[in-house]
């Protein structure tokens, strides 16, 4: 039996807990033109408080949708946050990404053979903001992909 208790980094994830609704703004990309979609994000405790499960869904005007699911947990050996993530694009989730806390912002980069994605999560003045930037293939720089702004419901 594991007798350890969730620690301070687990507590930092607490500010994300709840169900959030708002809008995702997507920039023009290989996946479509510039557009907005209705977004829903939820963060719930799991595994006795040792993890936070993230569910994301955005629905566009024509009814198409995108779903993503993540699990945030703490690596007790390195005292940092890990993010496991899979989405409806159908690619395998790969290895977990290590997150950084910088001035109240959770930052994470995920890397694969296809490229890299950089995400930021923050809650400020009652608004959850999640941004994603992409660096596809051999590109040198990240480019904006999407920004979600949601309020807790």
């Amino acid at each position: 039996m594991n007798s350890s208790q969730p620690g301070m980094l687990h507590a930092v994830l607490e500010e994300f807990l709840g169900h959030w609704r708002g809008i995702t703004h997507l920039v023009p990309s290989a996946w479509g033109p510039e557009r907005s979609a209705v977004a829903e994000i939820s963060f719930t405790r799991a595994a006795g408080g040792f993890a936070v499960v993230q569910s994301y869904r955005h629905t566009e005007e024509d009814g198409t949708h995108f779903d993503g699911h993540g699990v945030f947990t703490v690596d007790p050996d390195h005292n940092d946050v890990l993010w496991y993530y899979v989405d409806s694009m159908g690619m395998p989730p790969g290895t977990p990404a290590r997150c950084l806390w910088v001035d109240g912002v959770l930052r994470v980069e995920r890397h694969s053979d296809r490229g890299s994605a950089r995400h930021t999560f923050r809650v400020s003045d009652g608004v959850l903001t999640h941004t994603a930037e992409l660096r596809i293939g051999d590109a040198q720089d990240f480019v904006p992909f999407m920004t979600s702004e949601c309020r807790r419901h």
Side-chain angles (χ1 to χ4, degrees):
M1 294 293 282
N2 184 355
S3 63
S4 63
Q5 297 293 315
M8 188 58 165
L9 285 176
H10 295 93
V12 173
L13 294 171
E14 295 279 320
E15 73 178 310
F16 296 109
L17 293 177
H19 187 80
W20 304 79
R21 289 186 186 146
I23 300 293
T24 294
H25 302 281
L26 297 127
V27 302
S29 70
W31 297 279
E34 181 175 2
R35 63 207 185 276
S36 295
V38 175
E40 293 190 51
I41 306 170
S42 64
F43 292 88
T44 55
R45 279 186 210 94
F50 284 96
V52 171
V53 175
Q54 167 207 18
S55 293
Y56 169 84
R57 180 181 183 98
H58 78 235
T59 305
E60 299 186 34
E61 282 187 22
D62 66 1
T64 60
H65 58 86
F66 174 86
D67 296 291
H69 301 279
V71 176
F72 292 94
T73 191
V74 174
D75 177 349
D77 294 333
H78 297 97
N79 204 32
D80 56 6
V81 177
L82 299 175
W83 187 35
Y84 297 82
Y85 181 81
V86 64
D87 60 36
S88 59
M89 296 293 288
M91 297 299 184
T95 60
R98 291 194 181 274
C99 304
L100 296 172
W101 284 100
V102 179
D103 297 327
V105 177
L106 182 64
R107 297 180 184 200
V108 60
E109 285 188 22
R110 296 182 314 122
H111 305 282
S112 74
D113 295 342
R114 298 172 307 282
S116 299
R118 180 168 55 199
H119 297 264
T120 61
F121 298 88
R122 76 174 178 275
V123 175
S124 179
D125 295 327
V127 176
L128 166 68
T129 303
H130 171 203
T131 62
E133 300 171 290
L134 303 178
R135 188 174 62 208
I136 304 298
D138 295 332
Q140 295 297 312
D141 298 317
F142 282 95
V143 296
F145 177 66
M146 57 140 274
T147 300
S148 296
E149 293 181 331
C150 300
R151 292 195 174 275
R152 192 176 272 122
H153 282 258

